[in-house]
Amino acid sequence: MANRDIEVLGIGNAIVDIIAPADDAFLITHGLEKGGMALIDEARADALYDAMAASIEASGGSAGNTIAGVASLGGRAAYIGKIRDDTFGGIFRHDLRSLGVVFDTPSAPDGPSTARCLVLVTPDAERTMNTFLGACVNLTPADIDEALVASAAITYLEGYLFDPPQAKEAFRKASQIARDAGRKVALSLSDSFCVHRHRDDLLALVRDHVDILFANQDEIFALYETSDFDAAAAQAARDAGLAAITRSAAGSVLLSGDDKAVVPAAPVSRVVDTTGAGDLYAAGVLFGLSRGLPLAECGRLGSIAAGEIISHYGARPEASLATLIAA
């Protein structure tokens, strides 16, 4: 696939997800806050893994999930993220490439091992995440493939990667390259705690470099320090140009200038695991935008993709999203 063919390029934390069912008693025993996301060291990751039930191991990471979704929809996609030259790193690279995604970021020959996220899913479909970030936080500006960024119609940045200073500089470099090339930049806020930590820097990035902003209701409230949804959404659209904001079971709202689309969530027979719902919503919207579709249709694609992902364990599509859309 030639670089010039790329519709959506994702930049994010390259993480292998290890997903297993658990009950509330397991969470209490191991001191885990239900529904939370904790950063852990490698020793803690190994101990939890040993205690978990039989698991599913699949490549993950927020932007990685989104890019896998774009590929499943039939989009031409690429990814930049840091892995180690170890077993989990090989799994991550293979999984993305098997979907037709361009992923050529060199593996680190030394340093921390490839990142992994241990996801405990309780019977109510709530997920509790424990993340060892490992190699992925060592992404630097040198890892940004300038030609690839300049050739991609949309470069999508994962907010989770905004913590490490070098990764933050990599974001700024990629954003500037994309803007100089006349391309679009999209950003997912990813997590309200991340927004609280970096509010001023994120606002500056949104206002100076971002064309498409993804957030959920809590994240947009954190960014604009308000509990007024309409006011926060309108400000996001003014700052970025286009805002796509999810509201869980209430669906989503997309705003761009005078254009507004209120999109219902896709009906699902059973919610199994909400991991990756926001990531796949972004995949549908980005795919639609890359094809020049109206806002309402972009939101519909996002809802369908999110609906597929919450119907099973794991944050990568099990069914062809292109087939679901066609149906």
Side-chain angles (χ1 to χ4, degrees):
M1 184 188 298
N3 285 354
R4 61 183 172 80
D5 291 331
I6 300 301
E7 291 171 301
V8 184
L9 162 67
I11 304 177
N13 284 329
I15 301 174
V16 174
D17 288 337
I18 301 171
I19 305 165
D23 56 21
D24 289 347
F26 182 95
L27 303 184
I28 293 169
T29 298
H30 293 277
L32 306 176
E33 181 184 350
K34 185 173 180 177
M37 195 285 281
L39 296 179
I40 58 176
D41 61 20
E42 193 159 9
R44 171 73 161 155
D46 290 341
L48 275 177
Y49 181 70
D50 288 342
M52 289 167 63
S55 62
I56 297 169
E57 297 178 2
S59 299
S62 179
N65 295 335
T66 297
I67 291 305
V70 171
S72 183
L73 284 160
R76 299 182 297 277
Y79 183 78
I80 293 173
K82 202 70 174 177
I83 55 175
R84 176 72 198 273
D85 58 350
D86 55 17
T87 299
F88 281 125
I91 290 171
F92 188 93
R93 189 182 301 280
H94 172 269
D95 284 354
L96 273 188
R97 285 182 166 178
S98 71
L99 300 172
V101 174
V102 174
F103 178 34
D104 296 327
T105 310
S107 302
D110 49 32
S113 58
T114 297
R116 49 197 181 273
C117 181
L118 287 74
V119 184
L120 287 310
V121 184
T122 41
D124 58 2
E126 185 67 81
R127 78 264 197 234
T128 301
M129 297 184 289
N130 301 271
T131 305
F132 166 60
L133 289 172
C136 71
V137 297
N138 291 330
L139 186 82
T140 72
D143 292 309
I144 300 301
D145 183 331
E146 297 188 21
L148 183 61
V149 175
S151 70
I154 304 172
T155 292
Y156 176 70
L157 309 175
E158 175 189 325
Y160 281 127
L161 191 55
F162 208 66
D163 273 317
Q166 285 276 71
K168 191 180 298 184
E169 288 307 311
F171 268 19
R172 294 192 178 106
K173 177 180 178 179
S175 299
Q176 194 59 56
I177 293 167
R179 298 300 290 274
D180 289 347
R183 305 298 190 170
K184 298 290 187 183
V185 176
L187 170 70
S188 168
L189 292 182
S190 293
D191 179 78
S192 59
F193 297 108
C194 180
V195 176
H196 286 302
R197 287 194 299 274
H198 303 288
R199 179 177 176 273
D200 291 343
D201 282 348
L202 282 169
L203 268 176
L205 183 71
V206 170
R207 289 168 175 164
D208 296 340
H209 292 287
V210 172
D211 305 289
I212 306 156
L213 181 65
F214 289 91
N216 65 27
Q217 183 169 285
D218 289 341
E219 292 155 5
I220 210 71
F221 286 169
L223 186 65
Y224 292 108
E225 297 183 318
T226 180
S227 58
D228 184 328
F229 179 82
D230 290 336
Q235 186 62 53
R238 285 193 292 271
D239 285 345
L242 192 159
I245 305 168
T246 56
R247 308 186 79 177
S248 191
S252 65
V253 176
L254 296 90
L255 292 167
S256 179
D258 294 330
D259 194 1
K260 178 178 181 180
V262 179
V263 181
V268 294
S269 58
R270 186 166 71 103
V271 177
V272 174
D273 175 15
T274 56
T275 306
D279 304 335
L280 270 292
Y281 173 82
V285 173
L286 289 168
F287 175 79
L289 292 173
S290 73
R291 300 292 172 101
L293 301 179
L295 280 191
E297 179 63 9
C298 293
R300 186 182 78 88
L301 296 180
S303 290
I304 292 172
E308 191 280 338
I309 218 67
I310 65 176
S311 67
H312 58 78
Y313 285 124
R316 298 282 174 92
E318 288 187 348
S320 164
L321 295 181
T323 301
L324 285 179
I325 298 301

